[in-house]
Amino acid sequence: MQAVVDGVVESIVESTKSVFKTMISMDVKSDAPFYEEERMIKTDVMALVSFTGEYNGTISIFCRAGTAIKIASNMLGTPMNALDGVVKDAIGEVANMIAGNVKTGLIDTLGEMTLTIPLVIAGVSFSISTFSGDYEAIVVSSLSCSSNDSWLMIPFDADGEKIYVGLMVKKIS
Amino acid sequence: MSKVLIIDDSGVMRKIIQRNIVQAGLLVDQFVEAGDGREGLEKVKQNNDLNLILCDWNMPNMTGIEFVKAFRSSDKKTPVVMITTEGGETRTEEARNSGANGYLTKPFTTDQLLRKLGDYLLVK
Ligand SMILES: [Mg+2]
């Protein structure tokens, strides 16, 4: 399982760099991944895409509101100034592109997978545990995740902006 | 006159595609947008003069591949290029077999877009 996780992490790093360079005109540097208990995560924006297949899991972007706004502004080539539906749409597409490329890159090792449409949750420094509804419907159904589960977080730095791409993955027996 | 239909559930992605088409120097007079395959079929009915259809794969209500199959049952001519985050042989094969003419994976550069769409649109 560790080899699988390492492979997914490597693929996430590659895909994230490529998406940011190509679509967002930002060069991102990755840092060492670490585990974070879900209930400890505080974020303004969370954009997640789940995958199902031989392995089930979720790939999610976590970032501050200002970072999300900057990403959306770069993507659109127009300055955005609030964390609105357009910014949420943009971050959802970033998550979608990262997950889609990871899926394609790992088809030989992980097998065919189905991706969900991105789900974006935005607020001010929210904790995931305070959300139910949609988030649980997607994540819990594919992972039976409890608040004790940890995300493997991969940190990225884009001109001082911090972006985290989180991963949860489980083999279906 | 050239008219292009862009079907993608992300409004941001529809704008990015349009901007890249313009930057690539491809000549388009009018863009028509749809947020999913079902809306795409409605737009097709309302616009019988489309020169090209660009279509995402993963969308709510009706996916891109479902759209292509439904569209091809009545129109064998108008070119359709899939623009999607998902690559791989299985997917591109399925798209081709369903009647798609081309396939471009996201993220894409303006050059890559030009290469995929240059056959269907005039270049400045
Ligand atoms: Mg989509």
Side-chain angles (χ1 to χ4, degrees):
Chain A
M1 189 63 194
Q2 190 54 47
V4 169
V5 171
D6 290 347
V8 178
V9 168
E10 198 182 312
S11 181
I12 287 176
V13 169
E14 257 174 56
S15 303
T16 305
K17 285 182 175 169
S18 148
V19 168
F20 272 79
K21 196 181 174 69
T22 318
M23 303 301 266
I24 313 176
S25 313
M26 276 176 144
D27 273 317
V28 294
K29 287 193 198 76
S30 63
D31 219 326
F34 59 90
Y35 282 94
E36 179 95 298
E37 269 182 62
E38 185 168 88
R39 61 189 174 84
M40 301 302 289
I41 297 174
K42 282 246 183 330
T43 185
D44 294 344
V45 181
M46 174 177 191
L48 62 91
V49 173
S50 290
F51 49 90
T52 51
E54 205 177 311
Y55 290 84
N56 281 5
T58 301
I59 291 173
S60 178
I61 295 176
F62 301 93
C63 67
R64 312 298 308 182
T67 306
I69 291 167
K70 185 161 182 203
I71 290 171
S73 304
N74 277 26
M75 273 175 92
L76 283 159
T78 320
M80 303 295 299
N81 37 43
L83 184 51
D84 58 11
V86 175
V87 173
K88 285 169 71 178
D89 177 343
I91 304 303
E93 266 311 282
V94 176
N96 187 32
M97 283 188 277
I98 293 171
N101 279 270
V102 168
K103 175 194 156 162
T104 306
L106 295 177
I107 253 171
D108 291 340
T109 42
L110 299 189
E112 267 297 336
M113 292 186 292
T114 306
L115 296 181
T116 62
I117 287 160
L119 170 70
V120 185
I121 300 166
V124 175
S125 194
F126 66 81
S127 301
I128 299 170
S129 51
T130 58
F131 277 87
S132 49
D134 280 355
Y135 171 69
E136 281 189 9
I138 291 187
V139 178
V140 177
S141 66
S142 61
L143 276 175
S144 52
C145 104
S146 71
S147 56
N148 291 326
D149 275 326
S150 289
W151 286 81
L152 179 55
M153 302 288 265
I154 310 164
F156 291 90
D157 181 296
D159 310 322
E161 303 284 344
K162 291 272 177 225
I163 298 132
Y164 297 89
V165 181
L167 168 72
M168 271 203 200
V169 63
K170 200 181 206 176
K171 185 166 171 60
I172 297 308
S173 44
Chain B
M1 282 295 278
S2 79
K3 202 173 187 182
V4 175
L5 170 61
I6 302 175
I7 312 172
D8 197 305
D9 55 330
S10 163
V12 167
M13 188 49 67
R14 298 197 298 266
K15 291 284 168 292
I16 290 175
I17 292 169
Q18 288 175 38
R19 198 187 62 208
N20 275 276
I21 287 177
V22 173
Q23 277 172 355
L26 293 162
L27 295 171
V28 175
D29 301 290
Q30 195 188 338
F31 290 104
V32 181
E33 297 184 31
D36 61 40
R38 211 181 286 165
E39 204 189 329
L41 287 176
E42 278 167 33
K43 298 287 175 184
V44 163
K45 251 187 246 164
Q46 295 159 10
N47 300 273
N48 58 5
D49 53 348
L50 293 168
N51 298 84
L52 175 65
I53 299 173
L54 305 176
C55 189
D56 185 17
W57 193 305
N58 292 327
M59 294 181 287
N61 304 319
M62 182 190 262
T63 65
I65 203 72
E66 289 164 349
F67 166 85
V68 175
K69 287 174 187 163
F71 176 67
R72 277 286 175 254
S73 67
S74 58
D75 185 317
K76 312 271 182 236
K77 257 186 19 219
T78 312
V80 179
V81 175
M82 305 288 295
I83 304 187
T84 156
T85 56
E86 295 197 41
E89 247 166 71
T90 322
R91 286 268 170 155
T92 42
E93 268 298 304
E94 192 183 348
R96 199 172 308 126
N97 292 339
S98 304
N101 304 72
Y103 204 99
L104 175 64
T105 46
K106 304 170 189 167
F108 53 82
T109 62
T110 308
D111 266 1
Q112 287 165 334
L113 180 106
L114 175 61
R115 253 173 277 142
K116 295 285 179 179
L117 306 189
D119 289 345
Y120 312 110
L121 297 168
L122 292 173
V123 186
K124 231 186 265 176

